[in-house]
Amino acid sequence: MYKKLEIKNLTISSNDSILVKDINLSVEQGVPLVLLGESGSGKSLIIDSIMGSLSPNLKVEGEIFLDKKDLLKLTYKDKRKMWGKDISLLPQEPWRALDPTMRIVEQVKEVHEYIHNDKKNARKKALKDLDDVVLKEFSNSYPFEISGGMCQRTTIAITHAFNSQLLLADEPTKGLDKELCINVANRLNKELEQNRLLFVITHDLDIAKNIKGNLGVIVDGKLIEYGKTEELFSNPKHQYTKRLFKSQSSLWDIEKSNNISDEVIKIKNLSKQYSDNKLFEDLNFTLKKGEITSIVGKSGSGKSTLGDIILGLKNPTAGEIIKSKGLNNLKFQKIYQQPPSAFLPNQILKEGFEDLVKLHNLSMKKVYELFEKVNLEKELLYRKPDEVSGGQLQRMAIVKVLLLKPAFIFADEATSRLDSISQQEVIYLLVNIVKEENLSLLLVTHDLEMAQKVSNQIIYLK
């Protein structure tokens, strides 16, 4: 049983810049570590350096000891032998991590079959793992048949099944409602009771509070604060940390859109059902210009499905959607819950934006202006989608939609991958866009407090 993970003077650099500089952290039995930071701050790079899955184009210096074993000196083959048995990773993007061709129970079952060599009881144990994250009744579903939050819970079930001695959790509560976030925090705390080492990276202040141990705050690859969780929350020293703690949605001061005008979409008696699973029925509401409407509900309640039906991407079981005349399909846009789905995986991001600009007779100047508005550096355009953080990619997805000057935007958990400061900035941006462009915004969120702050109307799905 490993007793300590120790990171010493870790520096990660590319050809032209230092991404992570002189990081010193430790994780001990019974003392978990949470690393809190915004999207693109370098959190995931630290996790990747522990796993041995960093891009070969990056240079790594320093030491990472798992007890007396320096992980940075191991060969790639030796590192892979440790995956699952010694070290397991709860990934940041479940949409990428899950196999779309396999039912979720089979993906959990594989762990028991091939890691623990227990083929006899593998399915029974897999169902128990899924039941623990409230997914047993969806065990025969494929990843594309369930919500983003349910995919996240599936990866949690898989990671728990590994039963490894060091658990690395990369944004474990992304896309989950608050109740499930608390459940995840409680589950991670239970891992400590089995003497496992736990290292969590997150931008979620709630999970950072609920995992009692040490807390670090990272900005631009530098560790700016480090200490006991309770002490740091009660007495932050750095200005960034103080700003971060004050950026929770419950503390926002934002003026709602009030110039509501013409009807864009009318929903009449809308219902959706999959086999025996009834998501919603007899919904009636209108969406107007200058108006923000939020859909609030637990993971799997049908929020994303409702938005997709309104856009015409899915068919309702019953009901009618009446769209304003004179608006073509381009005027109805979606900001996806899973940002990788909005980009070609092997294409440089700049090329994708140039294709969009050329197709619609736009200007790259407008792209750069919007990048600045959502706090993105233009240099990121020269990378591929998997070479930027999830939060950065989400902001790029927002830019793509805004370029087309839509009349209606369906924002499906558009800020779930952002830290609270960036989330506040993006929501404020969307609110201002609604006012300036006089468009209609349908916002899916798990955050009721945020919905109450910005919305003109809220639809609750049970």
Short mmCIF file of all heavy atoms in Angstrom, two decimals, residues 271-316:
data_model
loop_
_atom_site.label_atom_id
_atom_site.label_comp_id
_atom_site.label_asym_id
_atom_site.label_seq_id
_atom_site.Cartn_x
_atom_site.Cartn_y
_atom_site.Cartn_z
N SER A 271 -44.29 16.61 -25.26
CA SER A 271 -44.02 15.44 -24.43
C SER A 271 -42.90 14.62 -25.06
O SER A 271 -42.73 14.61 -26.28
CB SER A 271 -45.26 14.55 -24.28
OG SER A 271 -46.33 15.25 -23.70
N LYS A 272 -42.13 13.94 -24.21
CA LYS A 272 -41.08 13.05 -24.70
C LYS A 272 -40.97 11.84 -23.79
O LYS A 272 -40.90 11.97 -22.56
CB LYS A 272 -39.73 13.77 -24.76
CG LYS A 272 -38.60 12.90 -25.32
CD LYS A 272 -38.86 12.47 -26.76
CE LYS A 272 -37.72 11.64 -27.34
NZ LYS A 272 -38.00 11.17 -28.71
N GLN A 273 -40.93 10.66 -24.44
CA GLN A 273 -40.84 9.42 -23.70
C GLN A 273 -39.97 8.43 -24.45
O GLN A 273 -40.06 8.30 -25.67
CB GLN A 273 -42.26 8.84 -23.51
CG GLN A 273 -42.32 7.58 -22.67
CD GLN A 273 -43.76 7.20 -22.33
OE1 GLN A 273 -44.66 8.04 -22.38
NE2 GLN A 273 -43.98 5.96 -21.96
N TYR A 274 -39.07 7.74 -23.73
CA TYR A 274 -38.27 6.64 -24.28
C TYR A 274 -38.76 5.35 -23.63
O TYR A 274 -38.55 5.15 -22.42
CB TYR A 274 -36.79 6.83 -23.99
CG TYR A 274 -36.13 7.97 -24.73
CD1 TYR A 274 -35.79 9.15 -24.07
CD2 TYR A 274 -35.82 7.86 -26.08
CE1 TYR A 274 -35.17 10.19 -24.74
CE2 TYR A 274 -35.22 8.90 -26.76
CZ TYR A 274 -34.88 10.06 -26.09
OH TYR A 274 -34.28 11.09 -26.75
N SER A 275 -39.40 4.47 -24.40
CA SER A 275 -39.97 3.24 -23.85
C SER A 275 -40.83 3.59 -22.63
O SER A 275 -41.78 4.32 -22.75
CB SER A 275 -38.85 2.25 -23.49
OG SER A 275 -38.10 1.93 -24.64
N ASP A 276 -40.44 3.07 -21.46
CA ASP A 276 -41.22 3.35 -20.24
C ASP A 276 -40.71 4.57 -19.48
O ASP A 276 -41.25 4.91 -18.42
CB ASP A 276 -41.18 2.13 -19.30
CG ASP A 276 -41.84 0.91 -19.94
OD1 ASP A 276 -42.78 1.10 -20.72
OD2 ASP A 276 -41.41 -0.23 -19.64
N ASN A 277 -39.68 5.21 -20.01
CA ASN A 277 -39.08 6.35 -19.31
C ASN A 277 -39.67 7.66 -19.83
O ASN A 277 -39.34 8.12 -20.91
CB ASN A 277 -37.55 6.34 -19.51
CG ASN A 277 -36.87 7.48 -18.77
OD1 ASN A 277 -37.39 7.98 -17.77
ND2 ASN A 277 -35.73 7.89 -19.27
N LYS A 278 -40.57 8.24 -19.04
CA LYS A 278 -41.23 9.48 -19.42
C LYS A 278 -40.40 10.65 -18.88
O LYS A 278 -40.27 10.84 -17.68
CB LYS A 278 -42.64 9.52 -18.85
CG LYS A 278 -43.47 10.71 -19.32
CD LYS A 278 -44.87 10.68 -18.71
CE LYS A 278 -45.67 9.53 -19.27
NZ LYS A 278 -47.06 9.54 -18.73
N LEU A 279 -39.85 11.46 -19.78
CA LEU A 279 -39.02 12.59 -19.38
C LEU A 279 -39.88 13.79 -18.97
O LEU A 279 -39.68 14.38 -17.91
CB LEU A 279 -38.06 12.99 -20.50
CG LEU A 279 -36.97 11.98 -20.85
CD1 LEU A 279 -36.10 12.53 -21.98
CD2 LEU A 279 -36.11 11.66 -19.65
N PHE A 280 -40.81 14.17 -19.84
CA PHE A 280 -41.70 15.29 -19.54
C PHE A 280 -42.95 15.17 -20.40
O PHE A 280 -42.96 14.44 -21.40
CB PHE A 280 -41.02 16.64 -19.78
CG PHE A 280 -40.30 16.76 -21.10
CD1 PHE A 280 -41.00 17.03 -22.27
CD2 PHE A 280 -38.93 16.57 -21.18
CE1 PHE A 280 -40.35 17.14 -23.49
CE2 PHE A 280 -38.27 16.67 -22.40
CZ PHE A 280 -38.98 16.96 -23.56
N GLU A 281 -44.02 15.87 -20.01
CA GLU A 281 -45.25 15.83 -20.80
C GLU A 281 -46.02 17.14 -20.65
O GLU A 281 -45.94 17.83 -19.64
CB GLU A 281 -46.13 14.64 -20.38
CG GLU A 281 -46.60 14.66 -18.94
CD GLU A 281 -47.47 13.47 -18.61
OE1 GLU A 281 -47.99 12.83 -19.55
OE2 GLU A 281 -47.62 13.17 -17.42
N ASP A 282 -46.75 17.47 -21.72
CA ASP A 282 -47.64 18.63 -21.76
C ASP A 282 -46.96 19.94 -21.35
O ASP A 282 -47.49 20.71 -20.55
CB ASP A 282 -48.88 18.38 -20.88
CG ASP A 282 -49.74 17.25 -21.43
OD1 ASP A 282 -49.76 17.07 -22.66
OD2 ASP A 282 -50.38 16.55 -20.62
N LEU A 283 -45.76 20.17 -21.89
CA LEU A 283 -45.07 21.43 -21.63
C LEU A 283 -45.60 22.52 -22.55
O LEU A 283 -45.76 22.30 -23.76
CB LEU A 283 -43.56 21.28 -21.85
CG LEU A 283 -42.77 20.46 -20.83
CD1 LEU A 283 -41.30 20.42 -21.23
CD2 LEU A 283 -42.91 21.02 -19.43
N ASN A 284 -45.89 23.70 -21.99
CA ASN A 284 -46.36 24.84 -22.76
C ASN A 284 -45.63 26.10 -22.32
O ASN A 284 -45.68 26.47 -21.15
CB ASN A 284 -47.87 25.04 -22.56
CG ASN A 284 -48.70 23.93 -23.19
OD1 ASN A 284 -49.01 23.97 -24.37
ND2 ASN A 284 -49.05 22.93 -22.38
N PHE A 285 -44.91 26.73 -23.24
CA PHE A 285 -44.24 27.99 -22.94
C PHE A 285 -43.82 28.67 -24.24
O PHE A 285 -43.85 28.05 -25.31
CB PHE A 285 -43.02 27.78 -22.01
CG PHE A 285 -41.98 26.84 -22.55
CD1 PHE A 285 -40.90 27.31 -23.29
CD2 PHE A 285 -42.05 25.46 -22.30
CE1 PHE A 285 -39.93 26.45 -23.78
CE2 PHE A 285 -41.09 24.59 -22.79
CZ PHE A 285 -40.03 25.08 -23.53
N THR A 286 -43.43 29.93 -24.14
CA THR A 286 -42.94 30.66 -25.31
C THR A 286 -41.53 31.18 -25.03
O THR A 286 -41.15 31.41 -23.88
CB THR A 286 -43.85 31.86 -25.65
OG1 THR A 286 -43.91 32.73 -24.52
CG2 THR A 286 -45.24 31.39 -26.01
N LEU A 287 -40.76 31.36 -26.10
CA LEU A 287 -39.41 31.92 -26.03
C LEU A 287 -39.40 33.18 -26.88
O LEU A 287 -39.74 33.13 -28.06
CB LEU A 287 -38.38 30.90 -26.55
CG LEU A 287 -38.37 29.55 -25.81
CD1 LEU A 287 -37.49 28.55 -26.56
CD2 LEU A 287 -37.88 29.71 -24.39
N LYS A 288 -39.01 34.30 -26.28
CA LYS A 288 -39.10 35.59 -26.94
C LYS A 288 -37.74 36.26 -27.11
O LYS A 288 -36.78 35.92 -26.41
CB LYS A 288 -40.04 36.51 -26.15
CG LYS A 288 -41.45 36.00 -26.04
CD LYS A 288 -42.32 36.95 -25.22
CE LYS A 288 -43.75 36.46 -25.12
NZ LYS A 288 -44.59 37.37 -24.32
N LYS A 289 -37.67 37.22 -28.00
CA LYS A 289 -36.46 38.03 -28.19
C LYS A 289 -36.17 38.81 -26.90
O LYS A 289 -37.07 39.31 -26.24
CB LYS A 289 -36.64 39.01 -29.34
CG LYS A 289 -36.69 38.36 -30.72
CD LYS A 289 -36.84 39.42 -31.80
CE LYS A 289 -36.87 38.80 -33.19
NZ LYS A 289 -37.02 39.84 -34.25
N GLY A 290 -34.87 38.91 -26.58
CA GLY A 290 -34.47 39.64 -25.39
C GLY A 290 -34.74 38.91 -24.09
O GLY A 290 -34.61 39.49 -23.01
N GLU A 291 -35.07 37.62 -24.19
CA GLU A 291 -35.47 36.85 -23.00
C GLU A 291 -34.50 35.70 -22.75
O GLU A 291 -34.04 35.04 -23.67
CB GLU A 291 -36.88 36.29 -23.22
CG GLU A 291 -37.45 35.53 -22.03
CD GLU A 291 -38.86 35.05 -22.32
OE1 GLU A 291 -39.05 34.33 -23.33
OE2 GLU A 291 -39.77 35.38 -21.55
N ILE A 292 -34.21 35.46 -21.47
CA ILE A 292 -33.41 34.31 -21.07
C ILE A 292 -34.29 33.34 -20.31
O ILE A 292 -34.92 33.70 -19.30
CB ILE A 292 -32.22 34.73 -20.19
CG1 ILE A 292 -31.27 35.63 -20.98
CG2 ILE A 292 -31.47 33.49 -19.67
CD1 ILE A 292 -30.10 36.16 -20.16
N THR A 293 -34.37 32.11 -20.81
CA THR A 293 -35.14 31.05 -20.16
C THR A 293 -34.17 29.96 -19.72
O THR A 293 -33.32 29.54 -20.50
CB THR A 293 -36.18 30.46 -21.14
OG1 THR A 293 -37.06 31.50 -21.57
CG2 THR A 293 -36.97 29.36 -20.47
N SER A 294 -34.28 29.52 -18.49
CA SER A 294 -33.43 28.44 -17.98
C SER A 294 -34.24 27.16 -17.78
O SER A 294 -35.40 27.21 -17.34
CB SER A 294 -32.78 28.84 -16.66
OG SER A 294 -31.75 29.79 -16.86
N ILE A 295 -33.62 26.04 -18.12
CA ILE A 295 -34.18 24.72 -17.81
C ILE A 295 -33.35 24.15 -16.66
O ILE A 295 -32.13 24.00 -16.79
CB ILE A 295 -34.12 23.76 -19.01
CG1 ILE A 295 -34.68 24.40 -20.26
CG2 ILE A 295 -34.86 22.47 -18.70
CD1 ILE A 295 -34.53 23.55 -21.51
N VAL A 296 -34.01 23.83 -15.56
CA VAL A 296 -33.31 23.35 -14.37
C VAL A 296 -33.83 21.96 -14.02
O VAL A 296 -35.04 21.70 -14.09
CB VAL A 296 -33.54 24.31 -13.18
CG1 VAL A 296 -32.89 23.77 -11.92
CG2 VAL A 296 -32.96 25.69 -13.50
N GLY A 297 -32.94 21.07 -13.63
CA GLY A 297 -33.34 19.73 -13.22
C GLY A 297 -32.12 18.87 -12.99
O GLY A 297 -31.00 19.24 -13.34
N LYS A 298 -32.34 17.71 -12.41
CA LYS A 298 -31.23 16.80 -12.12
C LYS A 298 -30.68 16.19 -13.40
O LYS A 298 -31.31 16.24 -14.46
CB LYS A 298 -31.72 15.68 -11.19
CG LYS A 298 -32.07 16.14 -9.79
CD LYS A 298 -32.46 14.96 -8.91
CE LYS A 298 -32.79 15.41 -7.50
NZ LYS A 298 -33.15 14.27 -6.63
N SER A 299 -29.50 15.62 -13.29
CA SER A 299 -28.88 14.92 -14.41
C SER A 299 -29.82 13.81 -14.90
O SER A 299 -30.31 13.01 -14.11
CB SER A 299 -27.54 14.32 -13.96
OG SER A 299 -27.00 13.52 -14.97
N GLY A 300 -30.08 13.78 -16.22
CA GLY A 300 -30.93 12.75 -16.79
C GLY A 300 -32.41 13.07 -16.79
O GLY A 300 -33.23 12.23 -17.15
N SER A 301 -32.78 14.30 -16.40
CA SER A 301 -34.20 14.65 -16.33
C SER A 301 -34.79 15.07 -17.67
O SER A 301 -36.00 15.27 -17.78
CB SER A 301 -34.41 15.78 -15.30
OG SER A 301 -33.71 16.94 -15.68
N GLY A 302 -33.96 15.23 -18.68
CA GLY A 302 -34.46 15.55 -20.01
C GLY A 302 -34.19 16.97 -20.46
O GLY A 302 -34.74 17.43 -21.48
N LYS A 303 -33.31 17.69 -19.76
CA LYS A 303 -33.03 19.09 -20.10
C LYS A 303 -32.45 19.22 -21.50
O LYS A 303 -32.92 20.00 -22.32
CB LYS A 303 -32.06 19.69 -19.06
CG LYS A 303 -32.55 19.63 -17.63
CD LYS A 303 -31.61 20.32 -16.67
CE LYS A 303 -30.22 19.75 -16.63
NZ LYS A 303 -30.16 18.34 -16.19
N SER A 304 -31.39 18.44 -21.78
CA SER A 304 -30.75 18.51 -23.10
C SER A 304 -31.69 18.03 -24.19
O SER A 304 -31.73 18.59 -25.30
CB SER A 304 -29.47 17.67 -23.11
OG SER A 304 -28.53 18.15 -22.18
N THR A 305 -32.48 17.00 -23.89
CA THR A 305 -33.43 16.46 -24.86
C THR A 305 -34.46 17.51 -25.25
O THR A 305 -34.81 17.66 -26.43
CB THR A 305 -34.13 15.22 -24.28
OG1 THR A 305 -33.16 14.21 -24.00
CG2 THR A 305 -35.15 14.67 -25.26
N LEU A 306 -34.95 18.27 -24.26
CA LEU A 306 -35.93 19.32 -24.53
C LEU A 306 -35.36 20.36 -25.50
O LEU A 306 -36.00 20.75 -26.48
CB LEU A 306 -36.37 19.98 -23.23
CG LEU A 306 -37.30 21.21 -23.35
CD1 LEU A 306 -38.55 20.86 -24.14
CD2 LEU A 306 -37.65 21.73 -21.96
N GLY A 307 -34.12 20.80 -25.24
CA GLY A 307 -33.49 21.78 -26.13
C GLY A 307 -33.28 21.23 -27.53
O GLY A 307 -33.50 21.94 -28.53
N ASP A 308 -32.87 19.97 -27.63
CA ASP A 308 -32.64 19.35 -28.94
C ASP A 308 -33.94 19.21 -29.73
O ASP A 308 -33.96 19.34 -30.96
CB ASP A 308 -31.99 17.97 -28.76
CG ASP A 308 -30.52 18.07 -28.40
OD1 ASP A 308 -29.94 19.15 -28.58
OD2 ASP A 308 -29.95 17.06 -27.94
N ILE A 309 -35.04 18.94 -29.04
CA ILE A 309 -36.34 18.85 -29.71
C ILE A 309 -36.73 20.22 -30.27
O ILE A 309 -37.21 20.33 -31.41
CB ILE A 309 -37.41 18.32 -28.73
CG1 ILE A 309 -37.18 16.84 -28.43
CG2 ILE A 309 -38.82 18.52 -29.31
CD1 ILE A 309 -38.08 16.27 -27.34
N ILE A 310 -36.50 21.28 -29.48
CA ILE A 310 -36.83 22.63 -29.94
C ILE A 310 -36.03 22.99 -31.19
O ILE A 310 -36.52 23.62 -32.12
CB ILE A 310 -36.59 23.65 -28.81
CG1 ILE A 310 -37.60 23.42 -27.68
CG2 ILE A 310 -36.69 25.08 -29.32
CD1 ILE A 310 -37.32 24.21 -26.42
N LEU A 311 -34.76 22.55 -31.23
CA LEU A 311 -33.90 22.82 -32.39
C LEU A 311 -34.24 21.93 -33.59
O LEU A 311 -33.77 22.18 -34.70
CB LEU A 311 -32.43 22.62 -32.02
CG LEU A 311 -31.77 23.72 -31.18
CD1 LEU A 311 -30.36 23.31 -30.80
CD2 LEU A 311 -31.75 25.05 -31.92
N GLY A 312 -35.00 20.87 -33.36
CA GLY A 312 -35.32 19.94 -34.44
C GLY A 312 -34.32 18.82 -34.58
O GLY A 312 -34.33 18.08 -35.57
N LEU A 313 -33.44 18.65 -33.59
CA LEU A 313 -32.43 17.59 -33.63
C LEU A 313 -32.99 16.25 -33.15
O LEU A 313 -32.45 15.19 -33.46
CB LEU A 313 -31.23 17.97 -32.76
CG LEU A 313 -30.50 19.27 -33.16
CD1 LEU A 313 -29.40 19.60 -32.17
CD2 LEU A 313 -29.93 19.14 -34.57
N LYS A 314 -34.08 16.30 -32.39
CA LYS A 314 -34.77 15.09 -31.94
C LYS A 314 -36.27 15.32 -32.12
O LYS A 314 -36.74 16.46 -32.16
CB LYS A 314 -34.45 14.79 -30.47
CG LYS A 314 -33.02 14.36 -30.23
CD LYS A 314 -32.77 14.04 -28.76
CE LYS A 314 -31.31 13.62 -28.55
NZ LYS A 314 -31.03 13.37 -27.10
N ASN A 315 -37.01 14.21 -32.18
CA ASN A 315 -38.45 14.29 -32.37
C ASN A 315 -39.18 14.14 -31.05
O ASN A 315 -38.81 13.30 -30.22
CB ASN A 315 -38.93 13.21 -33.35
CG ASN A 315 -38.37 13.39 -34.74
OD1 ASN A 315 -38.30 14.51 -35.24
ND2 ASN A 315 -37.98 12.29 -35.38
N PRO A 316 -40.25 14.92 -30.83
CA PRO A 316 -41.04 14.75 -29.62
C PRO A 316 -41.96 13.54 -29.73
O PRO A 316 -42.25 13.08 -30.84
CB PRO A 316 -41.85 16.05 -29.55
CG PRO A 316 -42.02 16.45 -30.98
CD PRO A 316 -40.76 16.01 -31.69
#
